[in-house]
Amino acid sequence: MTDTSRVRLWLVTLALALSGCAGPFPQSTLRPRSDFAQATDSLFTDIFWWAAAVFVLVEVLLVVALVRFRHREGRPAPKPAHGHTLLEIAWTLAPAVILVFVAVPTVRTIFTSSGEAPADALKVEVIGHQWWWEFRYLDLALTTANELHLPVGKPVRIGITSADVIHSFWAPLLGGKRDAIPGQTNYIAFRADSVGDYSGQCAEFCGVSHANMRLRVIVDSDTAFGAWAQAQLGPPATPPKASPAEQGRAIYARSACIGCHLIQGVSAGVIGPGLTHVGSRTTIAGGILPNDSAHLAAWIADAPALKPGSLMMRMKPPLSDADIAALVAYLQSLK
Ligand code: CUA
């Protein structure tokens, strides 16, 4: 390899490494931000060091044996050992003891992560859909989509299920993945320990847009969470008279949108995500696109082009650019 190509290889490797860990919402199980994630991370670290010790021991013994007992001209073959009771007891007991050190914390972590939570925990039902997430706050009578807000430092119990096929709810910095199975509810519980935006995704193949089924968990301070919940519980914003947003509301109310989406007081669809406060979300389309004018317009015009298999069809007849712009203004006004 020439010097130039070696430098190139390093640059490519560096670029790949940096792109892998850059971005505002890194998904890493090695940066725990909740008690659940901390427990699994500690378990991983403990087992890693046990495995490392076993690896080093085995490799050292192997190298010693290879060097010491290698074939040399004129030397007799080394004498094989048979029936060494002490050795046999040692190599049976040592792995058994190591496995106990691995098994006990593993089983303990399985039990602590089984969804047990104090009675006052915030209860959220997560429902997987092809390809978006519905979040129902059971005590608050509040439903939202794709972005889960949680208060920092408070215990949360999340019941996970599905409306169609099997999905898997996974926000790596906050906890392990758990399957979303139709007709069954699986639980996880945790207490997020730092405010922040944490990205997550569906972790079970669930159809053509499995990779487009992302989510965001936004851990708020207590006051910010209260303010968010209050705003979400309120009615949708009323657009000012003769504004593009008001025009957009009229277009929305007479279009196919109303068959699938809920906007309190305007439409009552339940197939797609509720839009009563869609303007307050940072992303659209199952967390894959930023919630801005350009992406909203592109999404309304042709959702399946952005998310293959999307249930949100192209409108027939298609909406004009002016109608789409008005709709975008209306949706953005729904803070
Ligand atoms: Cu839902 Cu993969």
Side-chain angles (χ1 to χ4, degrees):
M1 199 185 273
T2 66
D3 278 355
T4 336
S5 52
R6 194 167 291 137
V7 168
R8 263 191 216 136
L9 182 68
W10 275 110
L11 284 177
V12 169
T13 313
L14 187 68
L16 283 175
L18 288 176
S19 66
C21 57
F25 311 107
Q27 289 188 193
S28 168
T29 51
L30 303 177
R31 299 165 74 177
R33 294 291 185 272
S34 79
D35 49 356
F36 181 175
Q38 187 64 57
T40 39
D41 182 60
S42 311
L43 178 66
F44 168 77
T45 310
D46 290 353
I47 294 177
F48 172 82
W49 287 114
W50 280 112
V54 170
F55 175 80
V56 169
L57 179 71
V58 169
E59 293 308 302
V60 166
L61 288 176
L62 183 66
V63 170
V64 167
L66 283 172
V67 173
R68 210 171 141 197
F69 303 112
R70 71 187 186 278
H71 173 74
R72 273 172 286 195
E73 276 318 316
R75 298 260 185 103
K79 212 164 85 224
H82 284 295
H84 197 303
T85 316
L86 198 66
L87 259 184
E88 283 171 19
I89 290 175
W91 72 49
T92 308
L93 269 187
V97 169
I98 292 172
L99 285 180
V100 168
F101 280 106
V102 170
V104 170
T106 302
V107 172
R108 196 182 294 153
T109 309
I110 289 172
F111 280 104
T112 57
S113 65
S114 66
E116 289 303 315
D120 64 340
L122 178 73
K123 288 168 198 71
V124 184
E125 188 180 27
V126 170
I127 304 163
H129 295 261
Q130 281 176 318
W131 290 274
W132 59 283
W133 298 96
E134 183 178 351
F135 301 123
R136 293 184 185 169
Y137 295 74
L138 301 180
D139 313 314
L140 304 176
L142 191 167
T143 299
T144 185
N146 298 323
E147 293 184 5
L148 177 65
H149 282 251
L150 298 175
V152 72
K154 291 274 166 63
V156 181
R157 186 174 200 230
I158 298 184
I160 301 162
T161 186
S162 168
D164 37 47
V165 301
I166 299 177
H167 305 272
S168 178
F169 178 80
W170 191 35
L173 279 77
L174 298 172
K177 51 185 83 150
R178 196 70 34 111
D179 276 359
I181 301 169
Q184 184 186 320
T185 305
N186 292 327
Y187 292 93
I188 56 171
F190 60 82
R191 195 188 291 259
D193 60 30
S194 2
V195 166
D197 284 2
Y198 304 103
S199 69
Q201 63 185 74
C202 179
E204 177 74 48
F205 182 72
C206 55
V208 284
S209 267
H210 159 66
N212 294 321
M213 187 167 170
R214 307 183 66 86
L215 63 103
R216 220 162 247 201
V217 183
I218 296 152
V219 176
D220 294 318
S221 69
D222 225 14
T223 28
F225 178 77
W228 172 83
Q230 205 60 44
Q232 297 291 311
L233 284 166
T238 313
K241 287 242 172 305
S243 64
E246 192 188 47
Q247 214 184 319
R249 186 173 65 174
I251 296 162
Y252 176 89
R254 65 164 185 262
S255 301
C257 318
I258 54 170
C260 297
H261 293 286
L262 169 83
I263 295 181
Q264 267 171 48
V266 184
S267 67
V270 292
I271 294 167
L275 301 177
T276 305
H277 294 286
V278 66
S280 69
R281 303 206 276 264
T282 61
T283 54
I284 56 164
I288 59 169
L289 302 171
N291 188 4
D292 57 30
S293 317
H295 288 98
L296 263 174
W299 178 253
I300 295 167
D302 192 353
L306 297 168
K307 185 187 275 189
S310 169
L311 283 181
M312 179 156 144
M313 309 302 281
R314 246 156 294 170
M315 219 79 83
K316 273 183 228 149
L319 292 165
S320 69
D321 287 351
D323 283 359
I324 290 178
L327 269 175
V328 167
Y330 174 51
L331 295 176
Q332 286 183 320
S333 76
L334 299 174
K335 296 283 186 199

